[in-house]
Amino acid sequence: MPHTRELIDKVTGHYGANREALLPILQEIQRNEQYLSDEAMVEVAKTLDISSADVYGKATFYSFLDTIPRGKYVIRVCKTIVCDMHNKNKIIETIENLLKIKVGETTLNRKFSLLYTNCLGWCHKGPAMLINDDVYTELTPEKVRDIIREYKNKP
Amino acid sequence: MAERLQRLDMILGTYSPEKYKILEKNLSRPKNEIIKDLIDSGLKGRGGAGFLTGLKWKYAAMAEGEQKFVICNADEGEPGTFKDREILSKVPRKVLSGMGICAYVIGANKGYIYLRGEYKFLVPQLQKEIDEFHVYCDIHNLKFRVEIFLGSGAYVCGEETALLNSIEGKRGEPRNKPPFPTNIGLFGCPTVINNVETLVSAMTVCNIGPDEFKKLGIQDSHGSKLFSISGDTPKPGIYDLEFGLSLDEFVREFGDGDTKAVQVGGASGFCVPRKKFSQTTLGFKGGLSGDNLPTGGSMMIFNSTRSMYHVLENYLEFFEEESCGQCTPCRIGCQQLKKGIDAVKRGIKPPEYLEQLLSLTETMKITAKCGLGQSVANSFSSIVENFREEMIY
Ligand SMILES: Cc1cc2nc3c(=O)[nH]c(=O)nc-3n(C[C@H](O)[C@H](O)[C@H](O)COP(=O)(O)O)c2cc1C
Ligand code: SF4
Ligand code: FES
């Protein structure tokens, strides 16, 4: 697992090997490996000299951290009330049909995951979604089709 | 347009021509004077709870400690709120100036901007601004450094003590209060935690003085405030409005002509039905009993095509998912409320069961550990009581 080690070192280089580095380390691993494997969590625990249960507790607390593998591109569609009022269901349906997965699932090639999320802070431009860190607003089924096509063409 | 509805642009308006001029001006003022100005201005926190900003700074300034912190709360997770993102992307310099003045007043040398993970796209431009801010801190001899700390998708981390735990590398679970963060905050050190908008308003007070600031708004709710307006409205967006506005005026301006209810203050705020628009004013004092609603600035407008049952169900799902699960009244309470309204709707439970659910929210209000569990009662009771038929049929 040389890769994980490098990621951990990179973050502790900035914060030092103390607890304050924990969330940033987990975020960094999540970003690069798309989830937090048991091995990675154990490695983090060793580095910070805390129990792996502690690391697991942190990892499972946050909705943007996962302990099961996700796709390279994680799509999070807002399901909170304003986006819901603005037809988020149509958006979900469109993505489900395009990717042939249901909400909560990941495509077989591990390229896409489709998830719900809570209010993204773009209610005035709902429906809204995130793909990894990028925001897409004022979605329509047509717009979503274009966006997904674009991502399908990405490596 | 009613006078109070004019856009003030005090918060999102343009910068002063010289960078960090207001910061510089205030760094040579006596600290007590700044605190006094803030207290006189009546400025209250814009994060939802409405605590007097001047007092908060005063407590932290008085607290003993080698190390102190200033934290800008940019976790903005309340449904229907998006003004902090706008401030941070349009006028980050004002936020940093506010943090700088606070650091000077309380004697902090380190600051954090706790930015929700959903706003990660803001990091590059914000970091650039911070780097420049540091140069000005050095020029003006302010020993202060600011760092961005990214959240990871947890609404409860906006609660100030959960936020502290999150930075410290613990689960983002709220702590017991007291002790308050102004005495025992981040890593046990005195800490001021302010909302993004509060820091900008604090800077405004330091710039124009308390008297000018007080000219805006109403008794107990001074100044202007950013409102995030969404839902069934032809002009959703962010508006800088004066406090003291009646909901009647508000709806006339922003509604679509068919407004049935307005949710003030997000899912943890109150739902006001049409018949109460004229007697409701936007401000801090009173809660629901008075006619003056506290607000973090979220205004969600519903027209008559919306099912209020569905709205409430959506909120409860939100709370159920975002509850940190640390205390039983909130963890179990949110689940039971959601199950409960479902059972009434399906006719499995009689309509009178709603009274039991209402008393459950009262229990949660008293026994839950933090504002999340305590405030579920707000939207629950204001929707169930005002739209009872919709809950049953
Ligand atoms: C569940 C919960 C979530 C909160 N989320 C936020 C938030 O996202 N942003 C914020 O400024 N305050 C939030 N608050 C309020 C903070 O606890 C705190 O009162 C506020 O940051 C203080 O700043 P102010 O005095 O400037 O308002 C939240 C409170 C609770 C109970
Ligand atoms: S009230 Fe809810 S969110 Fe707050 S501490 Fe209790 S369980 Fe956690
Ligand atoms: S409700 Fe979807 S972004 Fe706020």
Side-chain angles (χ1 to χ4, degrees), chain A residues 19-85:
Chain A
R19 262 204 102 113
E20 196 191 337
L22 180 51
L23 186 54
I25 291 175
L26 297 181
Q27 288 167 339
E28 187 69 12
I29 299 174
Q30 173 83 36
R31 194 166 67 85
N32 285 277
E33 302 178 359
Q34 287 92 46
Y35 83 117
L36 305 165
S37 63
D38 289 353
E39 296 77 20
M41 286 189 277
V42 170
E43 190 71 24
V44 173
K46 274 193 212 146
T47 312
L48 300 184
D49 196 18
I50 54 182
S51 78
S52 34
D54 225 353
V55 177
Y56 181 77
K58 186 90 177 173
T60 49
F61 186 83
Y62 293 95
S63 66
F64 282 14
L65 299 178
D66 290 299
T67 50
I68 51 166
R70 297 280 191 216
K72 179 164 185 198
Y73 300 108
V74 179
I75 306 169
R76 298 175 198 271
V77 179
C78 172
K79 68 171 165 65
T80 306
I81 189 68
V82 186
C83 289
D84 181 85
M85 284 160 55

Side-chain angles (χ1 to χ4, degrees), chain B residues 371-388:
Chain B
L372 190 152
Q374 289 160 7
S375 60
V376 174
N378 297 349
S379 51
F380 192 89
S381 61
S382 56
I383 291 179
V384 168
E385 281 161 11
N386 289 306
F387 299 96
R388 196 180 161 92

Side-chain angles (χ1 to χ4, degrees), chain B residues 156 174 322-328 330-331 368-374:
Chain B
V156 72
E322 299 293 347
S323 163
C324 81
Q326 195 186 181
C327 63
T328 318
C330 170
R331 184 183 64 242
K369 184 166 173 177
C370 86
L372 190 152
Q374 289 160 7

Side-chain angles (χ1 to χ4, degrees), chain B residues 258-272:
Chain B
D258 186 26
T259 303
K260 158 166 142 181
V262 179
Q263 182 78 21
V264 182
S268 32
F270 297 90
C271 186
V272 184

Side-chain angles (χ1 to χ4, degrees), chain A:
Chain A
M1 252 190 349
H3 196 175
T4 309
R5 190 66 255 161
E6 282 162 29
L7 297 173
I8 296 175
D9 289 344
K10 187 176 140 202
V11 182
T12 49
H14 178 77
Y15 288 93
N18 51 48
R19 262 204 102 113
E20 196 191 337
L22 180 51
L23 186 54
I25 291 175
L26 297 181
Q27 288 167 339
E28 187 69 12
I29 299 174
Q30 173 83 36
R31 194 166 67 85
N32 285 277
E33 302 178 359
Q34 287 92 46
Y35 83 117
L36 305 165
S37 63
D38 289 353
E39 296 77 20
M41 286 189 277
V42 170
E43 190 71 24
V44 173
K46 274 193 212 146
T47 312
L48 300 184
D49 196 18
I50 54 182
S51 78
S52 34
D54 225 353
V55 177
Y56 181 77
K58 186 90 177 173
T60 49
F61 186 83
Y62 293 95
S63 66
F64 282 14
L65 299 178
D66 290 299
T67 50
I68 51 166
R70 297 280 191 216
K72 179 164 185 198
Y73 300 108
V74 179
I75 306 169
R76 298 175 198 271
V77 179
C78 172
K79 68 171 165 65
T80 306
I81 189 68
V82 186
C83 289
D84 181 85
M85 284 160 55
H86 290 124
N87 276 327
K88 69 113 191 2
N89 282 344
K90 281 234 170 65
I91 304 305
I92 288 286
E93 248 170 57
T94 309
I95 302 176
E96 285 182 339
N97 287 333
L98 286 170
L99 299 178
K100 314 246 172 338
I101 51 172
K102 297 270 168 228
V103 177
E105 295 177 350
T106 299
T107 53
L108 281 177
N109 60 4
R110 269 196 68 186
K111 189 155 182 186
F112 293 99
S113 294
L114 175 61
L115 302 172
Y116 276 131
T117 192
N118 282 325
C119 182
L120 289 170
W122 291 93
C123 329
H124 58 322
K125 295 191 171 165
M129 69 177 182
L130 281 179
I131 301 185
N132 292 353
D133 300 331
D134 294 321
V135 186
Y136 297 89
T137 60
E138 295 173 296
L139 297 172
T140 58
E142 296 72 46
K143 218 168 149 180
V144 167
R145 250 173 243 127
D146 290 345
I147 296 167
I148 299 292
R149 189 175 319 118
E150 199 184 301
Y151 275 87
K152 277 189 166 171
N153 290 331
K154 285 192 185 189

